[in-house]
Amino acid sequence: MKNILLLLLLAVCFQAQAQRTGPKVLVVTAHPDDETGMAATIYKITHELNGTVDQCVITNGEGGYKYSTLAESYYNLELTDEKIGRENLPRIRKQELLNAGKIIGINNIFFLDQKDAHYGLDEHEPLDTTWNVPWVTSRLKEIMTTTKYDFVFCLLPVPETHAHHKAATMLALQTVQSLPQSQRPVVLGVSGSNAKDTTSIQFEQLKNYTETKNDGKTVSYQFDKTVAFGYKNKLNYKIIVNWEIAEHKSQGTMQLAMNGGDFENYWFFAINAPEAKEKCKSFFESLKKIPYKIKEY
């Protein structure tokens, strides 16, 4: 009986996936909260474009214990004690991500459980010392070849960002480069900005890493989280991002990002085939559509 129920469950899952006709996206991040930077776009894909989003998280997130002060009473653990934090945060942060992923519609989450040693800017630390890079790239390749993704999203590897963010993006780019040209998804780097910003970010490439070269120096595509809809145009997609952020309770500084950032910016890496720009243009045009009917009361 159990085997029959399992087969029926699998059949339902396969049928649900078969009905997903929208874009297929893999998000590659270092930590179990980095997807927040693209949460509104993920929600649009899964809830409005009938697409599928998976996420691959490279570290176990244990290095976030310093920011867990307010979460100690919530989880009834002294998480800011390094030993206790490192022992318990991998489990806690996985569940937080599963909760957050449910809100924005993430389908599968692949946890690679590499050590989250500490915050730093030098990408050599995770790549040369902490992470099992050959295994990580092998696993990434397996994930990317098992499912034929249209896009891979990762954080833009600007020099001033966390070393783990840069390393995760570089490994995603290198893995895509290792695939046959016909099997490569389009890789996009993500950053955030506000409408009131007086200067725009410029990014050409991370020094010494040609795989991170951007096509040009400026952002290629944007999704506006502030676009208004609903009754009297009182709603926007920042609400969804706030819901998602709220699930990452062990990381206190994450909550300060609520209502922050007007745009999710996407950068077109130079490793992508030039003809992929048309695919991206069509995709980002589809994100502008608001499917909700205007109701009068």
Side-chain angles (χ1 to χ4, degrees), residues 134-154:
W135 182 84
V136 170
T137 53
S138 174
R139 185 71 180 105
L140 278 172
K141 189 171 184 177
E142 180 183 28
I143 293 167
M144 291 183 191
T145 52
T146 299
T147 300
K148 184 171 174 51
Y149 294 102
D150 297 294
F151 300 97
V152 168
F153 294 168
C154 45

Side-chain angles (χ1 to χ4, degrees), residues 44-80:
K44 289 280 288 187
I45 293 167
T46 60
H47 285 75
E48 298 177 15
L49 299 184
N50 200 30
T52 303
V53 178
D54 295 334
Q55 183 176 355
C56 181
V57 185
I58 294 179
T59 80
N60 61 17
E62 63 179 318
Y65 65 90
K66 296 176 182 177
Y67 304 103
S68 299
T69 302
L70 291 172
E72 290 187 327
S73 60
Y74 185 83
Y75 289 112
N76 197 29
L77 288 166
E78 191 181 350
L79 295 171
T80 53

